[in-house]
Amino acid sequence: LYGAPSVRNALMRGAAAVHAGSRYIADYARAAGARRVELLPTVVDTARLSPAPSRTGPGFRVGWIGSPSTSSYLADVAPALAQFHRVRPDAEFVLVGARADALPGLPVTRKPWSEATEADDLRAFDVGIMPLRDDPWSRGKCGFKLVQYMACGLPVVASPVGANADIVRAGVNGLLASTPDEWVASLAALAESPAERERMGREGRATVIARYSVDAVLRALAASLRAAATA
């Protein structure tokens, strides 16, 4: 939700349709007076982002992907990640696209984001994480990281903020963590059980195919555009 509230509200009221990537944005658009609001979640190409045949190698790789600006969220869970690392000294933290100073003092592998390597970088994770702060900006986010991780058959641990709480079914396709203790316990449980990681990864992949894939949303998008054009 960019721009001054008066401007974006006027745009929403004047639009033939508003496509919202999360319930939070959809509710905002309705409150602003939008005539037609469609909830169309962020999607990925599940043919390009797909699970690896197998993930091998020593250690336990906790992965994060994003931009330098969003890597600021990692600071909020850094103490929990440090505590988890004391429990699991073999844990490695893999950051794709993060700032160079993210998670200081931890064993971090840093990789630049590239479309050419994105899928392989994701497949190398054992778990994907998405920490968020519970503020208006974060509540409007659409959970894209989670959709990427799940498309690649990864279990996830996420803050229960905004779309995250809709995407993750706790204990089914991932885990939700609000406190440092919950973050540590969630990561430890996944680190100790490859079978549980595999089960949650399968459930996550099925979730994305059913609700967050191009194929799942394309027909609804086309129908919404047709309806808006002829209203």
Side-chain angles (χ1 to χ4, degrees):
L1 300 176
Y2 296 98
S6 60
V7 174
R8 65 176 178 245
N9 291 356
L11 288 171
M12 288 179 173
R13 285 193 299 272
V18 174
H19 293 158
S22 70
R23 286 189 297 113
Y24 181 87
I25 297 174
D27 291 343
Y28 183 98
R30 293 187 187 99
R35 291 172 287 167
R36 180 191 297 271
V37 179
E38 301 281 357
L39 181 57
L40 297 175
T42 298
V43 300
V44 295
D45 180 353
T46 52
R48 190 178 75 84
L49 295 183
S50 59
S54 63
R55 281 183 291 279
T56 59
F60 179 70
R61 290 155 289 184
V62 178
W64 178 94
I65 190 169
S67 65
S69 62
T70 58
S71 64
S72 63
Y73 292 111
L74 290 167
D76 297 343
V77 294
L81 298 182
Q83 183 181 345
F84 169 68
H85 185 251
R86 289 192 289 272
V87 175
R88 287 292 301 243
D90 63 334
E92 176 190 5
F93 303 93
V94 183
L95 308 181
V96 179
R99 289 172 43 162
D101 60 352
L103 296 183
L106 288 173
V108 173
T109 297
R110 306 178 193 277
K111 297 185 177 183
W113 179 86
S114 165
E115 184 178 7
T117 59
E118 177 185 65
D120 286 337
D121 287 339
L122 287 166
R123 292 184 188 110
F125 298 169
D126 288 303
V127 59
I129 62 171
M130 187 174 177
L132 286 178
R133 299 176 198 118
D134 191 6
D135 56 28
W137 176 264
S138 300
R139 289 174 210 139
K141 287 184 171 292
C142 300
F144 186 51
K145 291 179 180 60
L146 297 182
V147 176
Q148 290 178 295
Y149 301 146
M150 289 179 170
C152 291
L154 298 173
V156 300
V157 181
S159 303
V161 176
N164 286 12
D166 293 328
I167 297 169
V168 178
R169 289 177 292 153
V172 178
N173 58 11
L175 298 170
L176 296 170
S178 297
T179 67
D181 286 346
E182 288 175 353
W183 274 94
V184 174
S186 296
L187 291 171
L190 291 173
E192 292 167 7
S193 179
E196 189 69 352
R197 297 201 301 269
E198 183 178 353
R199 182 189 67 79
M200 286 190 181
R202 287 197 304 270
E203 291 286 349
R205 172 76 177 176
T207 298
V208 171
I209 290 173
R211 297 175 54 196
Y212 301 98
S213 65
V214 173
D215 291 342
V217 175
L218 184 58
R219 186 172 297 177
L221 173 60
S224 176
L225 292 174
R226 282 194 295 267
T230 58

